[in-house]
Each structure stands twice: as structure tokens, then as C-alpha cells.
Amino acid sequence: MNEIDRLKEETEKIKRDLWALSNKTSGESSALDLTQLQNKISTIENAMTDFSSRITTLENKTIEPTKTVIFDMNSDDETINNGYTNGMVPEQSITRSDLSTFKYFKFYFVSGETESMLKVELPSQDSLPFSLNHTFAQNSRSFLTVFIEFSQDLTTISFTDMVYILYAGNSGTVSTIVWYDTNLSAQGHIRKIEAFK
């Protein structure tokens, strides 16, 4: 039984208790024990408070966060693509005065035919500037690691660096690791950044 079904069942029980209480008070008002009545009313009030709290919790879970696209290379709007129409690569950044108002961000990285999404919670003020990295596979032999930084004043997100790693060779036992720093969009870039309130 899920939470909504449980709440429905409890609602029906509260309705039955109220109906029984109203019948008891109307039919036996003179012989009714007031302490018993007060206890029953208190139990129903507590159940209603708990019920209301759980309904609020469920409603909050179903509310979709407000999404704002703060960068999209495919947008025709220059305030959204920032001129990075081939994707955002190292040494490029996005500056917005409202970045601190968001709870979390979603970064969409592309390398070759592979896309990876990274969700990042907004760092607290005492941990700024905040840096992070994310590694994902382009294929079975190559990987990309990207490095992102949030500025001290939380107005800028910078794509600071990118490392492309290729495992070359014919066998798993003998392979050469070739790695290099790059800012080539073909090796990897940020396609989109979304922010959520």
C-alpha cells in the first residue's frame, strides 16, 4: 500500500470516528463521560494534524522545481548561447548575477557520440570558490575528465580544464595511456547548463 492509499484509509477512519462521536454525543449526551469525549476529540485532532503534515510533504514532493536554462549552445538567443555555439570548452565561463538563487545545476557534457549529465548542488558560501571534476567514457578506450569551478561570489561558472585520456594498444595487458589537455570542442564540451530553484 502506497502513502496516498494509506492517507485515504486514515481519512476514512477519521470520518468514521467523527460519525461515531457525533452519534454518541447526540444520543447519549446526558450519560456521556466528558473525559472520554475529550480524549477521543484529542486523538482525532492529533490524527488530523499528522494527516495534514503528511499531505503537505506529499504535495512538496510532487512540485516540480522551476528550471532555468542558463546556457544552451543550440539556442538562437545570444544571452543563452553566450556566443559558444560549438559548445562551452575550457577557459570559457558563464556569468550571471542570479546564480546564488538556484538550489542545484545540471551540466550536460558531450564527448564524441557520448553525453553525460552531472547534477551539482549549489555549494555553501563557506566552501567557495568550489571546484569539481567529472569523468565519463567517450568509448571503450577513451575518457574525458572536465573541471568546473564556481566563483567566490557565486556569479560565475567556469569550465577551467579538460583532460582527454586514450588507452592505445592491442591488448588489455599491454597498453599505452595517452593523455593531453585540450580545448577542442570535438573532444568534449558543455552542451547545456540548467539551473533549478
Side-chain angles (χ1 to χ4, degrees):
M1 181 183 294
N2 64 32
E3 184 68 10
I4 292 173
D5 290 337
R6 273 194 289 276
L7 288 173
K8 285 179 182 176
E9 186 177 285
E10 288 178 28
T11 304
E12 290 306 313
K13 184 183 180 311
I14 291 169
K15 286 179 185 176
R16 287 192 302 271
D17 287 347
L18 285 171
W19 180 83
L21 186 61
S22 67
N23 282 346
K24 191 170 188 178
T25 55
S26 62
E28 305 170 16
S29 56
S30 58
L32 185 63
D33 180 357
L34 288 178
T35 303
Q36 187 182 19
L37 178 61
Q38 287 172 339
N39 288 342
K40 193 68 170 172
I41 289 172
S42 178
T43 301
I44 291 171
E45 285 175 344
N46 290 338
M48 290 299 286
T49 300
D50 178 60
F51 175 74
S52 177
S53 172
R54 287 164 62 194
I55 287 286
T56 301
T57 301
L58 276 177
E59 286 173 343
N60 289 340
K61 284 181 181 177
T62 60
I63 295 172
E64 288 293 321
T66 304
K67 177 175 73 175
T68 301
V69 176
I70 62 174
F71 168 70
D72 185 348
M73 64 181 254
N74 296 317
S75 174
D76 292 331
D77 184 344
E78 288 185 12
T79 62
I80 301 296
N81 69 33
N82 285 275
Y84 308 144
T85 55
N86 290 323
M88 190 174 162
V89 295
E91 300 181 12
Q92 295 179 335
S93 59
I94 301 290
T95 300
R96 286 178 60 126
S97 60
D98 64 344
L99 288 180
S100 64
T101 65
F102 298 104
K103 292 181 181 175
Y104 64 93
F105 300 84
K106 286 185 179 179
F107 291 82
Y108 296 87
F109 301 100
V110 176
S111 179
E113 298 298 315
T114 305
E115 181 167 292
S116 179
M117 188 276 291
L118 174 67
K119 179 180 174 182
V120 179
E121 299 288 333
L122 182 69
S124 62
Q125 289 289 340
D126 56 354
S127 64
L128 294 170
F130 172 74
S131 298
L132 61 108
N133 63 64
H134 178 60
T135 300
F136 62 100
Q138 184 184 55
N139 56 46
S140 62
R141 289 180 172 266
S142 59
F143 297 83
L144 187 73
T145 299
V146 293
F147 299 86
I148 306 294
E149 182 175 89
F150 289 80
S151 66
Q152 178 74 41
D153 61 1
L154 264 186
T155 59
T156 303
I157 299 173
S158 300
F159 190 168
T160 57
D161 205 355
M162 176 169 68
V163 176
Y164 183 75
I165 301 169
L166 173 65
Y167 294 88
N170 295 327
S171 134
T173 57
V174 179
S175 64
T176 304
I177 301 174
V178 181
W179 70 275
Y180 52 92
D181 295 325
T182 179
N183 63 355
L184 298 174
S185 180
Q187 298 299 341
H189 59 273
I190 298 174
R191 178 180 66 80
K192 183 190 260 187
I193 304 172
E194 298 171 335
F196 297 83
K197 289 190 178 184

